[in-house]
Amino acid sequence: MTEETQKPKTTMRAAYSAEFVPVGTPPPFIEDAPIPVSAPGMLLVRNLAASFNPVDAYIAAGYLAQRNPIFGKCRSAGSDFAGVVVDVGEGATVTLLDGSTRPALIGDLVFGDGIVGTGSFSEYVSVLAVQAVIKPPGLSFAEAAAIPLAALTSLQVLEEHAATPVGPG
């Protein structure tokens, strides 16, 4: 087992704050935070890259907390991640590049949108397995972490607001 796939200790460094911070202020403090635990259908990923999206500032400011309790105060900021699976919850699967799925494995290189997870501005992130995809071998971790929310936003614009339908036909 390499250092990247070793099961973590009990704490990690994370952009974590016990209180919400207003948009436009410096980011939350880098603090020791508890490492999330695996749960059924979830992956624990040693985070090697994360990207910043505008929604991350709104999560840190507490704007989404009233809409969904997962955006409460005890959460690291950040959504998009790329890293190595270090623990697999019962029944967790990952999506392969061809769109098929298979059981997740410790050591899988993955990227995805962890917005429903524990926050990606941290050394470890716990995410719904359905939000993780096997990282293409030609992409660096930083490149992979830059894709999820930006791609989703682009797709939503095309599907919901484009004057021309997307796709064949």
Side-chain angles (χ1 to χ4, degrees):
M1 210 179 248
T2 67
E3 181 183 324
E4 288 182 345
T5 60
Q6 286 177 353
K7 198 155 185 178
K9 299 175 184 170
T10 58
T11 62
M12 64 179 173
R13 303 296 287 162
Y16 183 89
S17 179
E19 299 295 327
F20 293 126
V21 293
V23 172
T25 61
F29 295 105
I30 304 298
E31 299 179 354
D32 286 328
I35 291 178
V37 295
S38 296
M42 297 192 80
L43 301 175
L44 182 60
V45 177
R46 180 171 181 256
N47 202 12
L48 300 176
S51 64
F52 181 82
N53 295 280
V55 72
D56 298 325
Y58 295 112
I59 292 169
Y63 294 152
L64 301 181
Q66 293 177 341
R67 298 177 79 188
N68 193 323
I70 66 162
F71 298 115
K73 294 179 183 177
C74 295
R75 180 185 192 279
S76 171
S79 302
D80 295 346
F81 69 92
V84 181
V85 174
V86 295
D87 202 11
V88 177
E90 182 182 344
T93 61
V94 291
T95 302
L96 304 176
L97 298 176
D98 65 4
S100 63
T101 61
R102 66 157 169 76
L105 303 171
I106 291 174
D108 279 341
L109 306 181
V110 296
F111 74 106
D113 168 12
I115 199 164
V116 181
T118 56
S120 65
F121 296 169
S122 57
E123 291 181 284
Y124 294 89
V125 58
S126 178
V127 298
L128 291 173
V130 297
Q131 292 181 287
V133 177
I134 294 294
K135 183 183 80 61
L139 289 181
S140 69
F141 286 101
E143 291 166 333
I147 294 172
L149 283 180
L152 177 60
T153 300
S154 299
L155 180 62
Q156 287 173 329
V157 166
L158 291 172
E159 289 182 344
E160 297 172 14
H161 303 289
T164 310
V166 177

